[in-house]
Amino acid sequence: MIDFHAHLDLYPDPHTVARECVVRDLYVLSVTTTPSAWSGTAALTKDAPRVRTALGLHPQIAHERKGELPLFERLLPQVRYVGEIGLDGGPEYRRHWLDQEHVFSRVLSLCARAGGRVMSIHSRRASTQVLDALEMEAGAGIAILHWFSGTQRELARAVDLGCWFSVGPAMLAGDKGRALAAKMPRDRILTETDGPFAQVDGRAAWPWDANRAVEELSKIWSEPIDTVQRQLDGNLRRLSSQGVAGG
Ligand code: MN
């Protein structure tokens, strides 16, 4: 099972969650929201080869943490995965839009200069602007749009630009999310949870709740669970072997 977007460091007891991911043999992309959180979060799973820690600077706190861009630049050579990064066009973050744009475009250009990275990207209420930025910095690497919630037209553009997608139980609980997932290329989808931010059954999602996304995809694709899981595992292997740089 794969959780390609989880915030392990933000659970009340990160060590226990990290250990449980290892016990359950989960593949996890452990994303961070600030460069200063990267080292401590990577240390949580230093003996877990199936957990990768991504270097991030979350758009919702870009205005508070833009001063950490030099740290982002220093850490970038050590990582193959970058996230969570992106833009958030929600009303509560719109007043920090210029900071968000500055941080996101700087991060993309650093990734391009470093030879490209695999990137987990937030695009809430900002799909078009995220796609514009990705188009401008084509060498930044492989973009995985996490919990994509744009329009069908924006989705088609993202597919044309070569984007991948990670979908979780919260996204697939709604008709809109399921309709979007149905149009995503099956060979460019991974599962995620976005725990502990995203909810499942009215509580914070655990990384192993990714199995619920597998179940939803099985319904959407009309394929048995093990066929879906094989497709997802194959996608992850292909992603891992693609030519991006990073340690
Ligand atoms: Mn997230």
Side-chain angles (χ1 to χ4, degrees):
M1 205 191 341
I2 300 161
D3 184 353
F4 208 74
H5 185 109
H7 298 265
L8 293 188
D9 61 331
L10 300 181
Y11 284 97
D13 186 353
H15 286 277
T16 303
V17 179
R19 221 170 18 245
E20 188 66 20
C21 290
V22 173
V23 168
R24 292 173 184 248
D25 205 24
L26 245 64
Y27 181 96
V28 180
L29 186 69
S30 166
V31 296
T32 55
T33 55
T34 64
S36 53
W38 185 79
S39 301
T41 307
L44 279 175
T45 55
K46 60 182 188 309
D47 300 319
R50 287 168 66 82
V51 182
R52 302 300 171 89
T53 306
L55 174 64
L57 211 171
H58 198 290
Q60 293 175 351
I61 52 173
H63 58 291
E64 292 165 359
R65 300 303 185 108
K66 57 190 174 187
E68 292 188 35
L69 278 170
L71 179 59
F72 184 98
E73 185 173 5
R74 276 202 303 283
L75 292 171
L76 189 59
Q78 300 180 45
V79 303
R80 179 182 162 87
Y81 297 91
V82 162
E84 178 166 2
I85 57 170
L87 297 171
D88 192 310
E92 61 276 50
Y93 304 108
R94 215 174 286 147
R95 65 201 160 101
H96 303 302
W97 184 256
L98 291 179
D99 283 332
Q100 291 192 48
E101 278 194 323
H102 166 70
V103 166
F104 187 46
S105 64
R106 176 76 180 146
V107 161
L108 292 179
S109 85
L110 288 169
C111 287
R113 203 202 291 167
R117 291 293 185 270
V118 175
M119 305 173 291
S120 184
I121 298 182
H122 176 112
S123 57
R124 174 179 172 256
R125 295 193 183 207
S127 302
T128 288
Q129 294 90 334
V130 163
L131 296 175
D132 288 345
L134 291 172
E135 197 166 31
M136 293 223 322
E137 203 66 75
I142 300 169
I144 293 140
L145 301 178
H146 114 85
W147 198 336
F148 182 78
S149 58
T151 62
Q152 288 280 352
R153 182 189 283 262
E154 287 166 326
L155 173 62
R157 183 178 169 215
V159 171
D160 285 344
L161 284 172
C163 294
W164 288 55
F165 305 89
S166 57
V167 301
M171 168 182 171
L172 299 176
D175 290 338
K176 185 188 173 189
R178 282 195 297 267
L180 287 166
K183 295 282 178 61
M184 292 170 180
R186 293 187 188 188
D187 61 353
R188 281 192 250 152
I189 291 191
L190 298 166
T191 47
E192 66 161 44
T193 64
D194 202 14
F197 288 127
Q199 302 255 308
V200 166
D201 298 339
R203 45 132 183 114
W206 301 110
W208 42 95
D209 288 320
N211 68 352
R212 300 188 181 216
V214 180
E215 286 161 16
E216 285 301 324
L217 284 175
S218 150
K219 290 183 208 154
I220 293 166
W221 292 350
S222 302
E223 298 279 3
I225 296 273
D226 50 332
T227 306
V228 174
Q229 192 60 63
R230 247 195 324 274
Q231 173 75 50
L232 297 170
D233 291 344
N235 292 349
L236 180 62
R237 265 196 309 278
R238 221 174 66 253
L239 181 69
S240 310
S241 66
Q242 280 187 12
V244 297

